[in-house]
Amino acid sequence: DGGITQSPKYLFRKEGQNVTLSCEQNLNHDAMYWYRQDPGQGLRLIYYSQIVNDFQKGDIAEGYSVSREKKESFPLTVTSAQKNPTAFYLCASTPDRPSSYNEQFFGPGTRLTVL
Amino acid sequence: AQSVSQHNHHVILSEAASLELGCNYSYGGTVNLFWYVQYPGQHLQLLLKYFSGDPLVKGIKGFEAEFIKSKFSFNLRKPSVQWSDTAEYFCAVNLNTGNQFYFGTGTSLTVIP
């Protein structure tokens, strides 16, 4: 089955540590996205990538970094500079450039808790 | 700044009641509009979408939404809700020339049996 995989489902880290969240898709989608979901705030865009080796900052990129070395993979690193990292993180993808009438497909999410 | 507003944060209904969830956006250009649903413990999934044509679009599970361009609105409706509709609902907008999706803050729907 094609889809988006995010691992792990739950992640615990100590304050001050960097942590990398995995996102893999086997849908052959070009564009990939990372969102942060907090209660009452909806989904806020962290980073997105339209093609391999290219990515753009979203609305809340500070304290985060990404890479896009392969089409199917878009890992997100939450650095120690992120002031409030505890949240639910969602990865998404679209088949082509979003302006081509495409919807987003979402992974199951990773809940990160920083202790 | 671009924004998507969902004014109903929490909605509680009895089964068989009718549902309408509001969504307004602030973009002036051509937009693509979406409603996503997140059932407890599940992925976000698409309920319905509007790109062009008939402003009344039908989605899965009996949901529909109407695009009213003059009001910058895309409200979600269902004539008769079921307990299984309990979920969080998100409205999203994508500019026809852009690469980002803008989401509302979500509406939590609880349907009481």
Side-chain angles (χ1 to χ4, degrees), chain B residues 2 22 36 38 43 55-56 60-61 64 76-77 97 104 107:
Chain B
Q2 322 286 24
Y36 285 87
Q38 189 174 34
H43 297 203
L56 183 63
I60 60 171
K61 305 187 180 186
E64 64 178 33
L76 181 71
R77 300 194 292 247
T97 56
T107 297

Side-chain angles (χ1 to χ4, degrees), chain A residues 33 37 50 99 101 103-104, chain B residues 36 38 46 49 96 99:
Chain A
Y33 304 76
Q37 185 179 7
Q50 291 176 246
S99 57
Y101 309 120
E103 69 195 67
Q104 287 191 316
Chain B
Y36 285 87
Q38 189 174 34
L46 184 71
K49 59 187 176 184
N96 205 31
N99 301 310

Side-chain angles (χ1 to χ4, degrees), chain A residues 2-114:
Chain A
I4 301 175
T5 304
Q6 290 185 246
S7 60
K9 189 172 181 179
Y10 298 97
L11 190 55
F12 296 89
R13 279 296 181 270
K14 291 183 179 178
E15 195 172 340
Q17 288 182 332
N18 290 358
V19 60
T20 298
L21 280 59
S22 166
C23 177
E24 303 279 330
Q25 53 99 357
N26 60 4
L27 300 166
N28 199 33
H29 286 179
D30 291 308
M32 297 185 74
Y33 304 76
W34 273 106
Y35 292 93
R36 172 180 170 139
Q37 185 179 7
D38 296 284
Q41 297 195 55
L43 277 68
R44 292 182 291 166
L45 182 66
I46 304 172
Y47 268 97
Y48 67 101
S49 167
Q50 291 176 246
I51 55 173
V52 173
N53 293 323
D54 181 67
F55 46 83
Q56 284 80 41
K57 292 182 179 180
D59 300 320
I60 55 164
E62 185 175 350
Y64 299 98
S65 66
V66 293
S67 63
R68 186 86 187 276
E69 297 176 3
K70 299 185 294 182
K71 187 175 184 178
E72 59 270 24
S73 178
F74 190 42
L76 173 75
T77 297
V78 184
T79 75
S80 56
Q82 167 52 232
K83 292 187 171 62
N84 186 20
T86 294
F88 188 56
Y89 291 88
L90 284 167
C91 181
S93 68
T94 58
D96 200 342
R97 286 178 180 245
S99 57
S100 304
Y101 309 120
N102 284 317
E103 69 195 67
Q104 287 191 316
F105 293 78
F106 286 87
T110 292
R111 187 166 297 281
L112 171 66
T113 302
V114 175

